[in-house]
Amino acid sequence: MRHRLFIAAVVVSIAALSGSPARAVGSFCSVTGQTAVSIGNYNPFSGTGFTNVPVTLNLTRYRDGSGNKTRQVDFYISQPAGSPAGYSITYNGSNVLYTQPASHTLSLPPPASGTVFYNFGGNGQPDTVSLPLTVTIPPGLDLTAGRPITFDIVYICTGSGALHDVTTPTTLPGAIAIQIDVLSALQASYSGPALSFGEISSVSDAQAPSHSVTGQIRVASTGPFTVAMSATHNYVMTYPGGNTAVAAESIMFSMRLAGETVDHTNHTFTAVACSAAGINGQNLPITATLQEGGATKNASPSYQEVLTVTLTPLAVPYNGTTLACPSL
């Protein structure tokens, strides 16, 4: 007596973008940074990334009410530890991106190699300049839908007049926000063993609950999603030509998925919302348990039921909440 499982999966896409700069003030020299560019759609599941995309960093120096101002700045760009490997940001052909906690040398003057140096000049020069950067984002990075890619600036600077120099590397959080539309995409497949109870002709009804089989549904996604399940005969197996309403021709069982259990008497599965599974994927266990044995049933090698598991990507963010999928 066998049990077969069929899986249905859905893929859609949704875009979102955002970015915000910060500015420091005080009696010391300082700068603020801001980007305003969207570099398009990114699907981590595809083989396409972005190569040498031009991005403009608008860098603004601090000037106080007395005309004292930042004169020179030397900085590099940093990303948090644990960020996806593969990003590249260059300035004048040189890499200027480093991953924390690693640091890079800064100096004025002369500026250090592998950094961005700018001399704002005197009073007649503009306080805001546009610096051309190039960004490379390789395919297959584990990015989350709905979130911009942000980087910090680590800088030192010199000031004019009464504005003091900053000689200790200082971090400007979120100075660069690359607006990239990470598609809310999902992939799913059944990856476990066949959900088969095997030969149960000698299994009594009392012994039935001790007979369970477990498989896995592999889910990979960049955004949140819901899990739902249904069964053709409401979780009752029968054989070809059999009748699920006839006790001798049917075998009841229960299914457990995403922390929820359903069976013939309670067959409505309430969709469960889950957080992003990441592009490397996670396994969602699915378990079938007998509620009846086969000792009193008509003999047949073909008892089965067809299950449909539906995984649907959600808009980002989903109700503004962070979700945890049970058993994921």
Side-chain angles (χ1 to χ4, degrees):
M1 302 182 185
R2 302 185 182 276
H3 178 167
R4 298 187 302 185
L5 176 70
F6 296 88
I7 300 297
V10 182
V11 177
V12 299
S13 65
I14 296 171
L17 55 88
S18 65
S20 59
R23 179 164 183 148
V25 297
S27 59
F28 290 82
C29 65
S30 66
V31 292
T32 62
Q34 183 178 16
T35 53
V37 62
S38 175
I39 63 175
N41 295 333
Y42 181 81
N43 182 354
F45 296 114
S46 74
T48 303
F50 298 96
T51 303
N52 295 329
V53 177
V55 172
T56 298
L57 170 64
N58 296 317
L59 191 71
T60 301
R61 66 176 170 182
Y62 173 64
R63 181 194 292 263
D64 66 16
S66 301
N68 303 306
K69 57 198 170 296
T70 301
R71 178 175 294 167
Q72 295 178 322
V73 63
D74 191 37
F75 69 90
Y76 61 85
I77 301 165
S78 73
Q79 61 181 352
S83 299
Y87 293 133
S88 171
I89 299 180
T90 62
Y91 176 72
N92 289 338
S94 297
N95 175 67
V96 292
L97 176 64
Y98 305 94
T99 301
Q100 301 171 359
S103 60
H104 189 72
T105 300
L106 293 170
S107 63
L108 282 173
S113 61
T115 64
V116 180
F117 167 76
Y118 192 79
N119 185 345
F120 286 94
N123 285 327
Q125 300 303 311
D127 290 336
T128 298
V129 294
S130 297
L131 300 178
L133 306 174
T134 58
V135 175
T136 295
I137 301 175
L141 291 190
D142 193 1
L143 304 182
T144 301
R147 298 179 184 174
I149 305 172
T150 59
F151 302 96
D152 300 339
I153 279 178
V154 180
Y155 71 92
I156 60 173
C157 57
T158 60
S160 67
L163 206 61
H164 299 292
D165 296 347
V166 171
T167 57
T168 300
T170 300
T171 298
L172 179 60
I176 297 177
I178 297 176
Q179 301 169 353
I180 177 173
D181 301 338
V182 180
L183 303 182
S184 183
L186 181 147
Q187 293 180 340
S189 61
Y190 186 76
S191 62
L195 291 179
S196 174
F197 290 111
E199 177 58 59
I200 61 171
S201 59
S202 62
V203 177
S204 68
D205 289 351
Q207 296 169 327
S210 64
H211 289 258
S212 295
V213 288
T214 298
Q216 295 85 37
I217 299 172
R218 181 188 176 277
V219 184
S221 75
T222 61
F225 59 95
T226 58
V227 180
M229 181 171 60
S230 62
T232 302
H233 298 111
N234 294 331
Y235 308 99
V236 179
M237 293 185 291
T238 191
Y239 50 83
N243 187 341
T244 57
V246 177
E249 299 176 3
S250 61
I251 301 174
M252 293 188 291
F253 66 100
S254 66
M255 293 296 304
R256 184 167 179 81
L257 174 66
E260 191 169 340
T261 301
V262 286
D263 59 22
H264 182 63
T265 60
N266 180 27
H267 53 79
T268 300
F269 189 97
T270 302
V272 177
C274 305
S275 298
I279 68 168
N280 294 325
Q282 300 182 45
N283 287 329
L284 183 59
I286 182 170
T287 300
T289 301
L290 282 177
Q291 292 181 317
E292 295 182 293
T296 61
K297 308 297 181 179
N298 292 348
S300 173
S302 303
Y303 277 88
Q304 65 178 33
E305 166 70 303
V306 178
L307 307 176
T308 300
V309 176
T310 303
L311 300 106
T312 305
L314 298 173
V316 180
Y318 176 67
N319 291 341
T321 60
T322 300
L323 308 166
C325 188
S327 302
L328 185 62

Coordinates of all heavy atoms in Angstrom, one line a residue, residues 187-231:
Q187 N 11.9 29.4 -4.8 CA 12.0 28.1 -5.4 C 11.6 27.0 -4.4 O 12.0 27.1 -3.2 CB 13.4 27.8 -5.9 CG 13.9 28.7 -7.1 CD 15.3 28.5 -7.5 OE1 16.1 27.9 -6.8 NE2 15.6 28.9 -8.7
A188 N 11.0 26.0 -4.8 CA 10.6 24.9 -3.9 C 10.6 23.6 -4.7 O 10.3 23.5 -5.9 CB 9.2 25.1 -3.3
S189 N 11.0 22.5 -3.9 CA 10.9 21.2 -4.5 C 10.9 20.2 -3.4 O 11.2 20.4 -2.2 CB 12.2 20.9 -5.4 OG 13.4 21.0 -4.5
Y190 N 10.4 19.0 -3.7 CA 10.3 17.9 -2.7 C 11.7 17.2 -2.8 O 12.1 16.7 -3.8 CB 9.2 16.9 -3.0 CG 9.1 15.9 -1.9 CD1 8.5 16.2 -0.7 CD2 9.5 14.6 -2.1 CE1 8.4 15.3 0.3 CE2 9.4 13.7 -1.1 CZ 8.9 14.0 0.1 OH 8.8 13.1 1.1
S191 N 12.4 17.1 -1.6 CA 13.7 16.6 -1.6 C 13.9 15.4 -0.8 O 15.0 14.9 -0.7 CB 14.7 17.7 -1.2 OG 14.4 18.1 0.1
G192 N 12.9 14.9 -0.1 CA 13.0 13.8 0.8 C 12.7 12.5 0.2 O 12.3 12.4 -1.0
P193 N 12.7 11.4 1.0 CA 12.3 10.1 0.5 C 10.8 10.1 0.2 O 10.0 10.9 0.7 CB 12.6 9.2 1.7 CG 12.6 10.0 2.9 CD 13.0 11.4 2.4
A194 N 10.3 9.1 -0.6 CA 8.9 8.9 -0.9 C 8.1 8.7 0.4 O 8.5 8.0 1.3 CB 8.7 7.8 -1.8
L195 N 7.0 9.4 0.5 CA 6.1 9.2 1.6 C 5.3 8.0 1.4 O 4.1 8.0 1.0 CB 5.2 10.4 1.8 CG 5.9 11.7 2.2 CD1 4.9 12.9 2.3 CD2 6.6 11.6 3.5
S196 N 5.9 6.8 1.8 CA 5.3 5.5 1.6 C 5.3 4.8 2.9 O 6.3 4.7 3.6 CB 6.0 4.7 0.5 OG 5.5 3.4 0.5
F197 N 4.1 4.3 3.3 CA 4.0 3.5 4.6 C 4.4 2.1 4.4 O 4.6 1.3 5.3 CB 2.5 3.5 5.1 CG 2.1 4.9 5.6 CD1 1.2 5.6 4.9 CD2 2.6 5.4 6.8 CE1 0.7 6.9 5.4 CE2 2.2 6.6 7.2 CZ 1.3 7.4 6.5
G198 N 4.6 1.7 3.1 CA 5.0 0.3 2.8 C 3.8 -0.7 3.1 O 2.7 -0.3 3.0
E199 N 4.2 -1.9 3.4 CA 3.2 -3.0 3.6 C 2.6 -2.8 5.0 O 3.3 -2.9 6.0 CB 3.8 -4.3 3.5 CG 2.9 -5.5 3.7 CD 1.6 -5.5 2.8 OE1 1.8 -5.5 1.6 OE2 0.5 -5.4 3.4
I200 N 1.2 -2.6 5.1 CA 0.6 -2.4 6.4 C -0.6 -3.4 6.6 O -1.5 -3.1 7.4 CB 0.1 -0.9 6.5 CG1 -0.9 -0.6 5.5 CG2 1.3 0.0 6.5 CD1 -1.6 0.8 5.7
S201 N -0.6 -4.4 5.9 CA -1.7 -5.4 6.0 C -1.8 -6.0 7.3 O -2.9 -6.5 7.7 CB -1.6 -6.5 4.9 OG -0.4 -7.2 5.0
S202 N -0.7 -6.1 8.1 CA -0.8 -6.7 9.4 C -0.8 -5.6 10.5 O -0.7 -6.0 11.7 CB 0.5 -7.6 9.6 OG 1.7 -6.8 9.5
V203 N -1.0 -4.4 10.1 CA -1.0 -3.3 11.1 C -2.4 -3.1 11.6 O -3.3 -2.9 10.8 CB -0.4 -2.0 10.5 CG1 -0.6 -0.8 11.6 CG2 1.0 -2.2 10.1
S204 N -2.6 -3.1 12.9 CA -4.0 -2.9 13.5 C -4.2 -1.4 13.6 O -3.3 -0.6 13.6 CB -4.1 -3.6 14.8 OG -3.3 -3.0 15.8
D205 N -5.5 -1.1 13.9 CA -5.8 0.3 14.2 C -5.1 0.8 15.4 O -4.6 2.0 15.4 CB -7.3 0.5 14.4 CG -8.1 0.3 13.1 OD1 -7.5 0.2 12.0 OD2 -9.3 0.2 13.1
A206 N -4.9 0.0 16.4 CA -4.2 0.4 17.6 C -2.7 0.7 17.4 O -2.1 1.5 18.0 CB -4.4 -0.6 18.7
Q207 N -2.2 -0.1 16.4 CA -0.7 0.1 16.1 C -0.5 1.2 15.1 O 0.6 1.7 15.0 CB -0.2 -1.2 15.5 CG -0.2 -2.4 16.4 CD 0.1 -3.7 15.7 OE1 -0.3 -3.9 14.6 NE2 0.7 -4.6 16.4
A208 N -1.5 1.7 14.4 CA -1.4 2.7 13.3 C -0.6 3.9 13.7 O 0.3 4.4 13.0 CB -2.8 3.0 12.8
P209 N -0.9 4.6 14.9 CA -0.2 5.9 15.2 C 1.3 5.8 15.3 O 2.0 6.8 15.3 CB -0.9 6.3 16.5 CG -2.2 5.6 16.5 CD -2.0 4.3 15.8
S210 N 1.8 4.6 15.5 CA 3.2 4.4 15.6 C 3.9 4.3 14.2 O 5.1 4.2 14.2 CB 3.6 3.2 16.4 OG 3.2 2.0 15.7
H211 N 3.1 4.4 13.2 CA 3.7 4.3 11.8 C 3.7 5.7 11.2 O 2.6 6.2 10.8 CB 2.9 3.3 11.0 CG 3.0 1.9 11.3 ND1 3.8 1.0 10.6 CD2 2.6 1.2 12.4 CE1 3.8 -0.1 11.2 NE2 3.0 -0.1 12.3
S212 N 4.8 6.3 11.1 CA 5.0 7.6 10.5 C 6.1 7.6 9.5 O 7.1 6.8 9.6 CB 5.3 8.7 11.5 OG 4.2 8.9 12.4
V213 N 6.0 8.5 8.4 CA 7.0 8.7 7.4 C 7.2 10.2 7.3 O 6.3 10.9 7.3 CB 6.7 8.0 6.1 CG1 6.7 6.5 6.2 CG2 5.3 8.5 5.6
T214 N 8.5 10.6 7.1 CA 8.8 12.0 7.0 C 9.7 12.3 5.8 O 10.6 11.5 5.5 CB 9.6 12.4 8.3 OG1 8.8 12.3 9.5 CG2 10.0 13.9 8.2
G215 N 9.3 13.3 5.1 CA 10.1 13.8 4.0 C 10.5 15.3 4.2 O 10.3 15.8 5.3
Q216 N 11.1 15.9 3.2 CA 11.4 17.3 3.4 C 11.1 18.1 2.1 O 11.2 17.6 1.0 CB 12.9 17.5 3.6 CG 13.5 17.0 4.9 CD 13.8 15.5 4.8 OE1 14.3 15.0 3.8 NE2 13.5 14.8 5.9
I217 N 10.6 19.3 2.3 CA 10.4 20.2 1.2 C 11.5 21.3 1.2 O 11.6 22.0 2.2 CB 9.0 20.9 1.3 CG1 7.9 19.8 1.2 CG2 8.8 21.9 0.1 CD1 6.5 20.4 1.5
R218 N 12.3 21.3 0.2 CA 13.4 22.3 0.2 C 12.8 23.7 -0.3 O 12.1 23.7 -1.4 CB 14.5 21.9 -0.8 CG 15.6 22.9 -0.8 CD 16.7 22.6 -1.9 NE 17.7 23.6 -2.0 CZ 17.6 24.7 -2.7 NH1 16.5 25.0 -3.3 NH2 18.5 25.6 -2.7
V219 N 13.0 24.7 0.5 CA 12.5 26.0 0.1 C 13.7 27.0 0.1 O 14.5 27.0 1.0 CB 11.5 26.6 1.2 CG1 10.9 27.9 0.7 CG2 10.4 25.5 1.4
A220 N 13.8 27.8 -1.0 CA 14.8 28.9 -1.1 C 14.0 30.1 -1.5 O 13.2 30.1 -2.4 CB 15.8 28.5 -2.1
S221 N 14.2 31.2 -0.8 CA 13.5 32.4 -1.1 C 14.3 33.7 -0.6 O 15.1 33.6 0.3 CB 12.1 32.4 -0.4 OG 12.2 32.7 1.0
T222 N 14.0 34.8 -1.3 CA 14.6 36.1 -0.9 C 13.7 36.9 0.0 O 14.2 37.8 0.6 CB 15.0 36.9 -2.2 OG1 13.8 37.2 -2.9 CG2 15.9 36.2 -3.1
G223 N 12.5 36.5 0.1 CA 11.5 37.2 0.9 C 10.6 36.3 1.7 O 10.7 35.0 1.5
P224 N 9.7 36.8 2.4 CA 8.7 36.0 3.2 C 7.8 35.3 2.3 O 7.6 35.6 1.1 CB 8.0 37.0 4.1 CG 8.1 38.3 3.3 CD 9.4 38.3 2.6
F225 N 7.2 34.2 2.8 CA 6.3 33.4 2.0 C 5.3 32.7 2.9 O 5.4 32.6 4.1 CB 7.0 32.4 1.1 CG 7.8 31.4 1.9 CD1 7.4 30.2 2.3 CD2 9.1 31.7 2.4 CE1 8.1 29.3 3.1 CE2 9.9 30.9 3.1 CZ 9.4 29.6 3.5
T226 N 4.2 32.2 2.3 CA 3.2 31.4 3.0 C 3.3 29.9 2.5 O 3.7 29.6 1.4 CB 1.8 31.9 2.8 OG1 1.4 31.9 1.5 CG2 1.6 33.3 3.4
V227 N 2.9 29.0 3.5 CA 2.9 27.6 3.2 C 1.4 27.2 3.4 O 0.8 27.5 4.4 CB 3.8 26.8 4.1 CG1 3.7 25.3 3.8 CG2 5.2 27.3 4.1
A228 N 0.9 26.5 2.4 CA -0.5 25.9 2.5 C -0.5 24.5 2.0 O 0.4 24.1 1.2 CB -1.5 26.8 1.7
M229 N -1.5 23.7 2.4 CA -1.5 22.3 2.0 C -3.0 21.9 1.9 O -3.9 22.3 2.6 CB -0.8 21.4 3.0 CG -0.8 19.9 2.6 SD 0.3 18.9 3.7 CE -0.4 19.2 5.3
S230 N -3.3 21.0 0.9 CA -4.6 20.4 0.7 C -4.4 19.0 0.2 O -3.3 18.6 -0.2 CB -5.4 21.3 -0.3 OG -4.8 21.2 -1.6
A231 N -5.5 18.2 0.3 CA -5.5 16.8 -0.1 C -6.7 16.5 -0.9 O -7.8 17.0 -0.6 CB -5.4 15.9 1.1

